[in-house]
Structure formats: C-alpha cells, structure tokens
C-alpha cells in the first residue's frame, strides 16, 4: 500500500559523494517506525547499510560508518542516505526499506521496499 521511490544514484569517481533519496507515498496517512538502506553487489547477498528507528537508534554497517549518514524529512515523507568518500567497494544497487503504519486512521501495518537505484564508483 505504501510505495517507495528512490532516486539519486549514478556514476561517481572514487572519493566523491552522492545523496540518495527515498520518497514514501500512499493512500491516507503514513507513520514510519523504522527506515533503512540496504545494498546488493553482484554475486553477493543483500546487506544492511544503515537503519534508524523512531526511538532514535541509528545503526551503520562497519564498512560505511563515518562516511555515510542516514536521515529523514518527516514533512516530506522522504528518507536520505548521504554517501561521502565513496570507493569501488560501495558499488551496488541500493534499496530503501520502511516499515510503520498507514491508512486514514493509521490502522494498517506496512513494510515496503523501493525498486533500487544503481550506484557505481569508478575512475
């Protein structure tokens, strides 16, 4: 019921930066409890990059801690992933995930995934 649309991926040189966006939309209200970014490189399993809960807990993968920042704009129902100091190991398809409640009375649970956006780091 809640759709996530991702944008911001592309080709960047090593050491560069990108900001991914994930816009949530649906019929009725949306209240996000947990949001997260995942990525999947060719031949590898999908892995958690960063996540944040409504309680304020934020978790980062060891490989991105200090370089990536997860954030949200509640007024726009949009999630972000700021990626700095990118290297070739960051090349992957990045997916947005959000879970919470929706509907006019927030009476329905949801857990949605974006379609994925390609990030390629190459010289």
């Amino acid at each position: 019921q809640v759709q996530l649309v991702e944008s911001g991926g592309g080709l960047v040189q090593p050491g560069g930066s990108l900001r991914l966006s994930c816009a949530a939309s649906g019929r009725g209200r949306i209240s996000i409890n947990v949001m997260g970014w995942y990525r999947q490189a060719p031949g590898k399993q999908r892995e958690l990059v960063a996540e944040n809960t409504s309680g304020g807990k934020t978790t980062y993968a060891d490989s991105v801690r200090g370089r990536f920042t997860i954030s949200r704009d509640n007024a726009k129902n949009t999630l972000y992933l700021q990626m700095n100091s990118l290297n070739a190991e960051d090349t992957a398809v990045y997916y947005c995930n959000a879970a919470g409640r929706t509907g006019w009375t927030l009476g329905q649970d949801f857990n949605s995934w974006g379609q994925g956006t390609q990030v390629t780091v190459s010289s």
Side-chain angles (χ1 to χ4, degrees), residues 72-88:
R72 70 172 73 181
D73 186 333
N74 291 325
K76 297 181 179 180
N77 287 130
T78 301
L79 315 179
Y80 302 98
L81 183 68
Q82 178 66 47
M83 305 184 294
N84 299 325
S85 301
L86 288 163
N87 57 62

Side-chain angles (χ1 to χ4, degrees), residues 11-29:
L11 176 64
V12 64
Q13 294 186 341
S17 298
L18 286 174
R19 188 177 75 162
L20 306 183
S21 299
C22 173
S25 63
R27 185 169 61 191
R29 302 165 64 193

Side-chain angles (χ1 to χ4, degrees), residues 57-104:
K57 182 179 180 180
T58 301
T59 302
Y60 293 95
D62 290 341
S63 59
V64 308
R65 187 177 296 108
R67 299 187 297 120
F68 291 10
T69 303
I70 188 171
S71 62
R72 70 172 73 181
D73 186 333
N74 291 325
K76 297 181 179 180
N77 287 130
T78 301
L79 315 179
Y80 302 98
L81 183 68
Q82 178 66 47
M83 305 184 294
N84 299 325
S85 301
L86 288 163
N87 57 62
E89 301 300 320
D90 298 315
T91 296
V93 177
Y94 285 71
Y95 299 89
C96 176
N97 173 248
R101 300 181 65 80
T102 189
W104 294 109

